[in-house]
Amino acid sequence: MGRRQAQDHDPAGPRLVGGPVPVSAPGPSGDAPYGTEHTPAPPGTEDASAVDRDVSGAVGRVLDHVLADRVARARDVDPLFGGDVAGRVADFTRTGGKRTRSRFLWWALRACGGEGAATVEAALRIGAALELLQTCALVHDDVMDGSALRRARPTLHVDVAAQYADAAPAGRAGRLGDGTAILAGDLALVWADDLLAETPLEGDGGRAVRRLWSDMRTEMVAGQYLDLHGQATGSRSLPRALRTARVKSALYSVERPIALGAALAGADEGTAAALCAAGRCVGTAFQLRDDLDDVFGDPRRTGKPTGGDIGEGKPTCLVAVAHARAEAAGDRRALDVLDRSLGHGALTEEGLEEVREVLTGTGARSTVEAMIGRLVARGLRHVDGALLDPHGGERLRLLLASAAGEGPPRDAHPCGTRPGPARAAGGGEAGR
């Protein structure tokens, strides 16, 4: 991306980096912006069946309204801050991403019979808050990992450093980029919390949602710390790698969004427990698939270069299995490749290919693939054991099956009816 010069405080406000972001959004009556008080979702999203047809679009419309207001208010504080930080947060949140977490929330809600204007509105607003929380996690993660690309675009800290490369003394542009990204992630978290706080939530369901949200934020930070700790200490423990995958991804990416949807719908304790168990299994598989994609995936699909986890020495299950297998077999060559590749910065394509050969030759790749299949199958069995709305339950089942790259289940059937053996396309036998 080309370098951009620093901008002076223009009364009209700076150009927002990364594409246009609307700076004002009137409320339904046209006299107040969204976000100043609780305001309803944009017109046309109150009907549950309409949202069913395009969940990502409905969440995106809520985000457009909320982010327009937030960016306008940030520019009122200071135009430079509004463009460099708030504008980037809005752009990152609005563009790219699969809205996976908000879709899990929505289809859990629908699987548990959630509908009605107030419930739909709350679900969309919390879904939008989840997207902002994801922005916080990814922007901070990119700084900690020193990543250059995200979603096939320069990461936020790299983009800021490039903007000010000609204006700041040597070295300071990079520090400005890192610091700006930390602040941008903090701002996204603040906006996410604001959005939840402005959403009317009553009774036991409301209390459950707020507790889940609180727990999820803590778990998100805990998972990131376990990841950093494993990198720093060179941990190769499979139990620790699995624990990190569960805390870092399974809870935050799948289980908690599902739990939020179930709580909003007022699901009974047994149904909520079954769906959470499904989310925990599939969420772990989701992280294991991400580990495989980092080494074997196509950058054109993932939006980032391969081999990042290897160069950073991340404590993945894939690496832990390969290391254990190589030690058990006395394979000194495989251990040597792992020892000189893990945590030693960017690899050449030749070096990465050596690592791929070790991960394949030790059987680690096939082992992790089988783990994914078993976890997804186990998760689907939990769904099949719950009495759910047929339409919403089946859509949730399909989403769970596809989240870890397993594709739709071969034996798709409406949930709440008599289930057959739960197997996902490409998956192995069900685990214990």
Side-chain angles (χ1 to χ4, degrees):
M1 180 174 292
R3 295 174 176 174
R4 295 184 287 270
Q5 298 298 319
Q7 298 162 341
D8 293 327
H9 281 60
D10 184 339
R15 175 175 63 83
L16 297 184
V17 178
V21 178
V23 296
S24 63
S29 62
D31 59 358
Y34 278 88
T36 53
E37 298 292 343
H38 164 64
T39 50
T45 60
E46 295 84 356
D47 179 69
S49 60
V51 178
D52 285 350
R53 292 191 287 272
D54 185 9
V55 179
S56 297
V59 172
R61 287 190 290 275
V62 174
L63 279 170
D64 285 343
H65 281 259
V66 170
L67 293 173
D69 169 69
R70 294 306 193 266
V71 171
R73 290 161 66 182
R75 291 181 64 177
D76 286 343
V77 172
D78 183 85
L80 185 63
F81 165 73
D84 279 3
V85 183
R88 278 186 167 92
V89 171
D91 180 57
F92 188 100
T93 307
R94 290 168 59 247
T95 59
K98 300 175 182 177
R99 306 276 186 260
T100 303
R101 290 158 187 81
S102 49
R103 286 192 289 146
F104 273 124
L105 184 154
W106 177 258
W107 287 116
L109 173 91
R110 298 292 281 143
C112 295
E115 56 184 354
T119 301
V120 169
E121 180 189 339
L124 293 178
R125 289 174 65 85
I126 297 172
L130 282 171
E131 298 302 325
L132 282 162
L133 193 65
Q134 172 72 342
T135 293
C136 167
L138 294 181
V139 169
H140 282 173
D141 189 59
D142 287 340
V143 175
M144 286 183 275
D145 290 345
S147 302
L149 289 176
R150 168 73 66 180
R151 298 171 179 169
R153 299 170 59 183
T155 50
L156 194 148
H157 66 282
V158 169
D159 191 39
V160 173
Q163 176 182 348
Y164 288 100
D166 293 334
R172 291 191 182 179
R175 290 177 58 191
L176 175 62
D178 290 350
T180 301
I182 291 169
L183 294 173
D186 291 347
L187 185 63
L189 177 59
V190 167
W191 287 354
D193 282 347
D194 286 348
L195 189 49
L196 183 79
E198 294 163 5
T199 301
L201 297 168
E202 299 177 355
D204 291 342
R207 284 188 288 274
V209 166
R210 296 188 192 283
R211 177 59 185 268
L212 286 165
W213 183 264
S214 175
D215 289 345
M216 181 175 60
R217 290 179 307 168
T218 300
E219 292 156 356
M220 181 182 77
V221 177
Q224 190 60 57
Y225 178 72
L226 292 178
D227 198 40
L228 287 172
H229 185 274
Q231 287 177 244
T233 60
S235 172
R236 301 291 175 259
S237 162
L238 181 57
R240 173 55 58 179
L242 278 168
R243 175 66 179 166
T244 301
R246 285 170 182 148
V247 176
K248 181 183 178 183
S249 191
L251 287 167
Y252 157 65
S253 295
V254 186
E255 181 179 348
R256 293 309 192 193
I258 286 175
L260 286 166
L264 280 171
D268 64 81
E269 187 175 336
T271 299
L275 294 185
C276 285
R280 193 174 310 123
C281 291
V282 172
T284 304
F286 180 87
Q287 182 59 51
L288 297 182
R289 176 62 64 194
D290 189 64
D291 296 343
L292 284 170
D293 282 348
D294 181 79
V295 183
F296 298 100
D298 183 349
R300 292 171 296 181
R301 179 177 62 82
T302 64
K304 56 184 179 179
T306 51
D309 288 356
I310 302 299
E312 292 151 20
K314 285 186 177 286
T316 66
C317 291
L318 183 63
V319 166
V321 172
H323 198 272
R325 290 284 184 86
E327 277 195 330
D331 189 340
R332 298 308 311 169
R333 178 187 174 278
L335 289 170
D336 179 62
V337 170
L338 293 175
D339 289 343
R340 60 183 161 83
S341 301
L342 295 168
H344 294 288
L347 297 173
T348 64
E349 184 55 38
E350 182 180 359
L352 182 56
E353 189 56 38
E354 276 192 297
V355 174
R356 290 186 182 119
E357 289 173 1
V358 167
L359 296 176
T360 302
T362 58
R365 182 181 185 180
S366 60
T367 296
V368 172
E369 289 279 8
M371 289 170 66
I372 291 170
R374 289 194 296 271
L375 284 164
V376 171
R378 192 184 310 164
L380 295 181
R381 285 209 311 277
H382 284 297
V383 175
D384 291 338
L387 281 176
L388 303 173
D389 171 83
H391 170 66
E394 183 60 13
R395 292 297 297 269
L396 178 61
R397 191 179 197 274
L398 291 169
L399 183 59
L400 285 164
S402 65
E406 292 293 274
R410 290 193 184 108
D411 59 336
H413 61 274
C415 295
T417 61
R418 181 181 178 183
R423 290 177 61 92
E429 292 183 12
R432 59 184 174 83

